[in-house]
């Protein structure tokens, strides 16, 4: 983003990524009403990262556990 505005720095993004990715980045809307950024981890209700929540996501998303489930 530009330093003092809610706009993408197109020249910088274009110099760092290939064109398909540049198009995807520039398609992300920037909302002027959002004035404060914050880190948010979707793996926890509180939004804070934990190794436990990352492990749960890995197990759920990356490892096929369907054979362990009982109908």
């Amino acid at each position: 983003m530009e330093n003092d505005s809610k706009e993408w720095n197109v020249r910088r993004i274009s110099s760092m990524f290939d064109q398909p990715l540049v198009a995807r980045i520039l398609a992300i809307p920037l909302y002027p009403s959002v004035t404060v950024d914050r880190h948010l981890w979707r793996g926890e209700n509180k939004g804070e990262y934990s190794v436990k929540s990352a492990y749960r996501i890995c197990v759920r998303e990356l490892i096929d556990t369907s054979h362990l489930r009982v109908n």
Side-chain angles (χ1 to χ4, degrees), residues 41-61:
W41 174 251
R42 294 187 187 275
E44 283 289 330
N45 292 337
K46 295 178 185 176
E48 297 175 4
Y49 175 82
S50 72
V51 173
K52 182 178 180 179
S53 64
Y55 177 80
R56 279 195 308 250
I57 289 172
C58 287
V59 169
R60 185 175 63 235
E61 303 283 329

Side-chain angles (χ1 to χ4, degrees), residues 6-68:
K6 286 282 188 162
E7 296 177 7
W8 290 115
N9 185 329
V10 178
R11 187 174 61 204
R12 186 164 196 186
I13 293 170
S14 297
S15 72
M16 296 173 68
F17 303 104
D18 63 9
Q19 194 54 42
L21 188 51
V22 168
R24 290 178 61 192
I25 292 169
L26 297 179
I28 299 170
L30 299 175
Y31 298 100
S33 60
V34 177
T35 57
V36 178
D37 288 331
R38 65 185 180 126
H39 293 284
L40 181 65
W41 174 251
R42 294 187 187 275
E44 283 289 330
N45 292 337
K46 295 178 185 176
E48 297 175 4
Y49 175 82
S50 72
V51 173
K52 182 178 180 179
S53 64
Y55 177 80
R56 279 195 308 250
I57 289 172
C58 287
V59 169
R60 185 175 63 235
E61 303 283 329
L62 302 175
I63 300 172
D64 180 15
T65 58
S66 59
H67 64 285
L68 300 174

